Amino acid sequence: MSNKERSNYIHSVDAGLIRFNRRTKNVEILIIKREKAPYEGQWALPGIVINGDIPDTSIEMALSRLLHSSKVGLEPKYMEQVETVGNGTRDPRCWSSSTFYLALIDDTYVIEGEKKFVNLNDVAGDKFPLAFDHNLLVRKIRDRLLSKSLYSSLPLLTLPDLFTTTDAIEVFSSVLDRPVIKTSMRQRLLKMAESGYVTETQEKVKPAMGRPQSLYQNLKRTEIYLFDRCFEQ
Amino acid sequence: MSNKERSNYIHSVDAGLIRFNRRTKNVEILIIKREKAPYEGQWALPGIVINGDIPDTSIEMALSRLLHSSKVGLEPKYMEQVETVGNGTRDPRCWSSSTFYLALIDDTYVIEGEKKFVNLNDVAGDKFPLAFDHNLLVRKIRDRLLSKSLYSSLPLLTLPDLFTTTDAIEVFSSVLDRPVIKTSMRQRLLKMAESGYVTETQEKVKPAMGRPQSLYQNLKRTEIYLFDRCFEQ
DNA sequence: TAAATAGTGTCTATTAGACAATATGTA
DNA sequence: TACATATTGTCTAATAGACACTATTTA
């Protein structure tokens, strides 16, 4: 397919790569600086054109190609398609659709080049403008993360394999934007341990002050555990 | 865009229109007989090409065009995008994507022409083969309906505005494919009434035998109520 | 009165939330 | 010892599930 023919209709895949910064306690999303027009030099979600100049066998393979490209270069622990938006106005070139994903990674990755992690809520709340309608996409990605975090273990996939109860409490509190009760979190980890999703290791972490923390290990890295009940809204 | 150019890539929108047949207690999906190649004369989900020979301003408008066309001609009470699948093999003509929706309607509609409602689980379980990969799409639509029915009022939108507790129990039991306890359902309807989603009317329905049934009325027709807890799996 | 179906009351189990009590570390 | 933090235990509230009991209709 030549560029001329393709210019009639573009279908892209965009990735919302979310991490939890344990130092700042912020939930962050990866954005990259666009190298080409339109919106050259502006920040945007990483994305590629599906089956454009480079052929793809499927949308999933296009997503994989994006994640392995220099635009991203990270290995997510979890991926989930959120939605497809398509209309005649979102891209100045032509009618276009975007199939976009929620992807979770831990905060041990070091990124290089013209990309950075920024606060998720800032982007979702339009405080940080992105190219195209990407602020809208980020809002939908944030909403999906939030609603699923009420009744599943999803946020734990932003933590490294080994994590403490405090890590879990902090990431849930940040994602849900409200305090999470310690005993509730411990009960949930207990249920997950019974079902083989996590295991309590014998190792301990010694903080600067206070009693050592138990270390949990995530076992089923790509599956999420569904709880019977929601955290309160 | 000419047919020749479009033949390089097709993006269609397909609709999974679900109803609950109160007479047979079956959850059913609408399928239509294809009038054109490929798969001419075979059964398939109703669908149209987005922005093909007929221009569309957005995917949602394309869905609206599909629902108002002679292929469907029904007014759903609820619509939700499920997913987009796209690859080079699902359509014999070319690389193609389908953005498909879950839509709910009540069983008061009378349909005409080359279309019919068939048992949802039969189609999802490949007992009833459809054109393209539509059995897979139906499976994904069924799974979405099932998982959302565990913690929301979604199945009630397949009932007419006025319905009885027994209607509610029957549709939940059919969708979840397991008995639903009467008191649990009544409690949930009570919660929905407190939140203004339904109201208990003063009217009664008199069955052939037995005590008259109270009639509930659905108030917020397009919103779904989210319960704090799931029905057990 | 008998049968059928609707609706109510009560008990148990589960789990989120709140908070007190205890344990284990550092300075 | 004083302080900080982790962990455990106990109580309450909400709600699904189970089941018995009562209410209202027709035949």
Side-chain angles (χ1 to χ4, degrees), chain A residues 178 181 183-184 188 191 208-211 228-229 231-232:
Chain A
R178 62 172 201 81
I181 292 310
T183 38
S184 302
R188 291 192 161 202
K191 287 300 261 184
M209 279 287 284
R211 184 171 170 173
D228 300 351
R229 297 198 201 170
F231 280 122
E232 284 184 3

Side-chain angles (χ1 to χ4, degrees), chain A residues 37-216:
Chain A
Y39 297 103
E40 184 179 346
Q42 293 192 39
W43 295 97
L45 289 180
I48 53 168
V49 173
I50 299 170
N51 210 28
D53 293 331
I54 299 168
D56 294 297
T57 55
S58 66
I59 295 181
E60 289 76 23
M61 291 309 289
L63 173 67
S64 171
R65 180 163 67 84
L66 168 65
L67 295 175
H68 288 99
S69 74
S70 61
K71 285 185 179 179
V72 182
L74 304 170
E75 196 73 46
K77 292 247 172 71
Y78 178 84
M79 284 172 282
E80 168 180 327
Q81 194 188 106
V82 175
E83 200 181 314
T84 299
V85 294
N87 57 60
T89 55
R90 59 184 300 276
D91 190 310
R93 291 168 289 185
C94 62
W95 220 99
S96 85
S97 295
S98 164
T99 296
F100 53 99
Y101 285 76
L102 161 65
L104 302 180
I105 51 172
D106 66 49
D107 64 358
T108 58
Y109 283 96
V110 179
I111 52 169
E112 297 167 340
E114 294 280 57
K115 48 194 159 195
K116 62 180 175 181
F117 282 96
V118 290
N119 185 280
L120 175 63
N121 283 327
D122 284 354
V123 185
D126 289 331
K127 282 186 194 170
F128 194 105
L130 297 184
F132 302 104
D133 55 358
H134 284 191
N135 289 92
L136 171 69
L137 308 197
V138 171
R139 207 145 48 236
K140 288 171 183 278
I141 290 167
R142 194 262 319 255
D143 291 348
R144 174 70 65 93
L145 172 65
L146 207 153
S147 64
K148 275 216 167 178
S149 298
L150 286 171
Y151 63 92
S152 81
S153 65
L154 197 57
L156 297 186
L157 296 184
T158 62
L159 297 176
D161 265 18
L162 292 168
F163 63 95
T164 66
T165 308
T166 307
D167 289 333
I169 291 169
E170 284 173 351
V171 69
F172 266 97
S173 300
S174 294
V175 168
L176 299 176
D177 197 27
R178 62 172 201 81
V180 166
I181 292 310
K182 198 164 39 172
T183 38
S184 302
M185 194 69 246
R186 295 187 64 80
Q187 272 295 106
R188 291 192 161 202
L189 287 172
L190 205 65
K191 287 300 261 184
M192 289 181 70
E194 282 171 11
S195 301
Y197 278 75
V198 297
T199 186
E200 199 173 348
T201 65
Q202 298 310 311
E203 296 168 80
K204 302 276 179 184
V205 169
K206 296 195 180 184
M209 279 287 284
R211 184 171 170 173
Q213 308 167 297
S214 297
L215 266 181
Y216 282 91

Side-chain angles (χ1 to χ4, degrees), chain B residues 165-166 182-183 186 204 207 209-214 229:
Chain B
T165 309
T166 307
K182 193 166 46 170
T183 38
R186 295 188 64 82
K204 301 276 178 183
M209 278 287 286
R211 183 171 171 173
Q213 307 167 300
S214 297
R229 298 197 202 170

